[in-house]
């Protein structure tokens, strides 16, 4: 659909590949008016430099009290994006409150705790690759890599880190998908949120009763110097954030990296020849095909002008990570090319910027690099069995990936 520069872009709740629309919007400007589900007006920041400025702008906030339409009661309970605005935790806190919450989480999510996970990640990866091979052997040589490898690896790791019993894993993944879906109906959205809160409440209650060497127990016990701690709502909100962000983004990262390497064998050959690293693959995937396309929400606390475009106070704004990753103004005229030797690869914003930079970034990078190295070492001839452009896409404009990834894991 052709639109004039002043016509808001209507985001498709069914998701799909974002890159063609991103390119058209970027050609019009770094900031664009958009229409969110339910005909809610919003804005999206798409250009790399504009997004970097916006993410750290002193007059931009995350708290839902700044969302004018929500504050005035014009957002329905079943609105599919409401959880992003109203969940209690780091992602919706500002200023001193955000620093307090981040400090508490940081005490539990230490560099040492993440580093100590490496042996376990390597073991789980090998076990999942064994399983992937068995599934393929039982199904004519084909297996869904997303379901049998890319999902259970980060879900298993984050749940182990949080002390979440294995029996919850599949259900938590399903509910996480429901939470990030943008094409979900009001009743289903509210039911998914209620159940997710109930499950996480049960996890928190179990850890409070029987503390262990896990992050949930540490969060419950963590205190700042003045004796502050996470409230019940903040604890559940933090767990929700960690479950969703701790596995959905890494799941998409691994899936998108495998798709990229299978359709760019020359880049895979560079790694095998020692001319690039698996870490380079991770960074270029984060730039070229960001796991998150449009992340909700931030709000201007006063009328702002960003890159010549007005952002009205109180308007919900999306961070356009997938667009920024392919912004030719920063990454050059070949920004749409997957190139793991790209010098600007580390300049992407896909893990955020400023005060809300992703705390789990080191864990995601480590999981991605280990997963890709072990996968292509075990199955060097791995190939897609369906053309990439025909793979079914995520039913969301928040997450950016495909729903399944059928592969032939060839040794």
């Amino acid at each position: 659909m052709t639109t004039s520069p002043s016509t808001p872009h209507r985001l498709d709740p069914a998701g799909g590949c974002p890159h063609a629309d991103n390119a058209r919007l970027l050609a019009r400007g770094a900031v664009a008016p958009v229409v969110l589900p339910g005909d809610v007006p919003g804005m999206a920041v798409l250009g790399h430099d504009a997004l970097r400025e916006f993410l750290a702008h002193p007059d931009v906030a995350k708290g839902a009290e700044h969302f004018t339409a929500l504050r005035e009661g014009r957002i329905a309970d079943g609105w599919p994006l409401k959880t992003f605005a109203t969940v209690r935790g780091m992602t919706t806190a500002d200023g001193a409150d955000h620093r307090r919450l981040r400090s508490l989480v940081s005490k539990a999510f230490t560099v040492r705790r993440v580093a100590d996970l490496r042996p376990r990640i390597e073991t789980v990866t090998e076990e999942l690759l064994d399983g992937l091979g068995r599934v393929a052997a039982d199904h004519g040589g084909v297996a869904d890599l997303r379901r049998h490898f890319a999902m259970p690896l980060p879900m298993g790791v984050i749940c182990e880190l949080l002390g979440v019993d294995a029996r919850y894993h599949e259900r938590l993944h399903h509910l996480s998908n429901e939470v990030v879906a943008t094409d979900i109906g009001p009743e289903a959205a509210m039911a998914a949120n209620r159940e997710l809160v109930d499950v996480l409440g049960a996890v928190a209650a179990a850890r409070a009763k029987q503390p262990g060497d896990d992050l949930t127990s540490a969060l419950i016990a963590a205190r700042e110097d003045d004796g502050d701690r996470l409230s019940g709502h903040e604890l559940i909100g933090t767990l929700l954030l960690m479950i969703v962000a701790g596995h959905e983004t890494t799941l998409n990262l691994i899936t998108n990296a495998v798709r990229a390497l299978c359709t760019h064998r020359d880049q895979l050959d560079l790694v095998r020849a020692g001319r690039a690293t698996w870490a380079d693959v991770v960074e270029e995937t984060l730039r070229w095909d960001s796991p998150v396309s449009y992340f909700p929400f931030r709000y201007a606390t006063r009328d702002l002008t960003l890159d010549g475009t007005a952002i009205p106070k109180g308007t919900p704004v999306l961070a356009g990570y997938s667009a920024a990753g392919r912004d030719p103004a920063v990454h050059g005229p070949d920004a749409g090319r997957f190139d793991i030797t790209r010098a600007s690869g580390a300049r992407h914003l896909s893990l955020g910027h400023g005060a809300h930079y992703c705390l789990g970034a080191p864990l995601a990078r480590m999981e991605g690099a280990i997963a890709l190295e072990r996968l292509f070492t075990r199955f060097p001839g791995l190939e897609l069995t369906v053309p990439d452009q025909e793979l079914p896409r995520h039913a969301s404009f928040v997450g950016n990936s495909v729903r399944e990834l059928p592969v032939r894991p060839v040794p």
Side-chain angles (χ1 to χ4, degrees):
M1 180 177 69
T2 302
T3 58
S4 71
S6 60
T7 303
H9 172 68
R10 185 172 292 274
L11 291 163
D12 186 355
C17 182
H19 299 301
D21 280 345
N22 287 345
R24 284 192 289 269
L25 289 170
L26 271 172
R28 287 162 42 177
V31 183
V34 296
V35 179
L36 301 168
D39 290 327
V40 175
M43 302 290 290
V45 182
L46 310 156
H48 178 280
D49 289 346
L51 182 57
R52 192 174 190 277
E53 177 183 352
F54 183 75
L55 293 176
H57 200 290
D59 296 314
V60 171
K62 297 273 282 182
E65 67 273 17
H66 300 286
F67 187 172
T68 301
L70 179 66
R71 189 179 64 248
E72 295 178 352
R74 293 186 277 120
I75 301 296
D77 284 342
W79 193 51
L81 296 169
K82 192 170 185 179
T83 297
F84 288 100
T86 60
V87 65
R88 296 282 298 277
M90 289 187 304
T91 58
T92 54
D94 295 301
D97 198 33
H98 173 255
R99 288 190 293 274
R100 175 181 66 87
L101 292 169
R102 192 173 177 98
S103 174
L104 287 169
V105 174
S106 296
K107 290 177 181 177
F109 213 119
T110 63
V111 173
R112 178 178 177 180
R113 187 180 287 269
V114 172
D116 287 346
L117 286 170
R118 175 176 286 276
R120 181 59 181 157
I121 293 172
E122 292 172 342
T123 298
V124 172
T125 298
E126 294 296 344
E127 292 171 350
L128 290 171
L129 291 174
D130 291 341
L132 185 72
R134 288 194 296 270
V135 170
D138 292 341
H139 294 83
V142 177
D144 182 355
L145 186 137
R146 184 175 173 88
R147 177 183 177 186
H148 296 288
F149 181 67
M151 187 280 283
L153 175 58
M155 177 58 91
V157 171
I158 195 64
C159 284
E160 185 166 324
L161 185 64
L162 291 171
V164 177
D165 199 300
R167 71 179 185 273
Y168 292 123
H169 292 193
E170 285 283 350
R171 193 63 189 160
L172 285 172
H173 173 61
H174 170 75
L175 294 170
S176 295
N177 275 335
E178 297 282 277
V179 166
V180 302
T182 49
D183 67 341
I184 190 171
E187 291 184 4
M190 288 188 289
N193 276 280
R194 281 195 300 268
E195 185 178 353
L196 184 54
V197 168
D198 287 345
V199 172
L200 295 176
V203 170
R207 295 280 68 79
K209 185 177 181 180
Q210 290 185 310
D213 184 22
D214 57 78
L215 199 147
T216 301
S217 298
L219 287 173
I220 293 170
R223 290 180 181 272
E224 291 190 314
D225 293 338
D226 60 2
D228 200 3
R229 69 162 72 209
L230 291 168
S231 71
H233 288 302
E234 289 169 340
L235 175 62
I236 297 302
T238 299
L239 294 179
L240 188 153
L241 161 68
M242 290 186 171
I243 288 290
V244 175
H247 96 278
E248 286 281 350
T249 51
T250 308
L251 159 60
N252 290 349
L253 167 61
I254 295 170
T255 301
N256 292 355
V258 172
R259 291 168 50 225
L261 291 172
C262 285
T263 53
H264 299 80
R265 308 300 293 202
D266 60 317
Q267 300 298 299
L268 182 57
D269 290 341
L270 289 175
V271 182
R272 289 173 169 159
R275 294 168 57 192
T277 67
W278 293 109
D280 293 329
V281 175
V282 167
E283 295 308 314
E284 179 66 350
T285 301
L286 287 168
R287 180 202 71 83
W288 185 73
D289 209 9
S290 173
V292 175
S293 192
Y294 292 100
F295 192 78
F297 287 116
R298 282 173 168 81
Y299 320 93
T301 58
R302 63 173 177 82
D303 291 346
L304 290 181
T305 299
L306 190 66
D307 198 60
T309 300
I311 300 179
K313 175 183 177 181
T315 301
V317 183
L318 300 170
Y321 293 116
S322 63
R326 296 195 184 190
D327 184 354
V330 170
H331 299 291
D334 67 342
R337 181 167 62 89
F338 183 72
D339 178 6
I340 63 175
T341 66
R342 185 182 300 273
S344 65
R347 297 173 62 193
H348 66 77
L349 298 168
S350 292
L351 295 170
H353 175 67
H356 286 271
Y357 182 78
C358 178
L359 265 178
L363 178 59
R365 285 181 161 118
M366 183 170 68
E367 286 180 292
I370 291 172
L372 294 170
E373 187 215 352
R374 299 302 173 92
L375 174 67
F376 284 99
T377 298
R378 177 79 71 92
F379 303 114
L382 184 99
E383 59 186 11
L384 306 183
T385 61
V386 174
D388 185 67
Q389 63 272 19
E390 296 178 16
L391 293 169
R393 301 287 309 196
H394 240 347
S396 171
F397 56 72
V398 177
N400 173 43
S401 193
V402 294
R403 293 201 303 271
E404 57 188 52
L405 189 64
V407 299
R408 184 171 288 107
V410 181

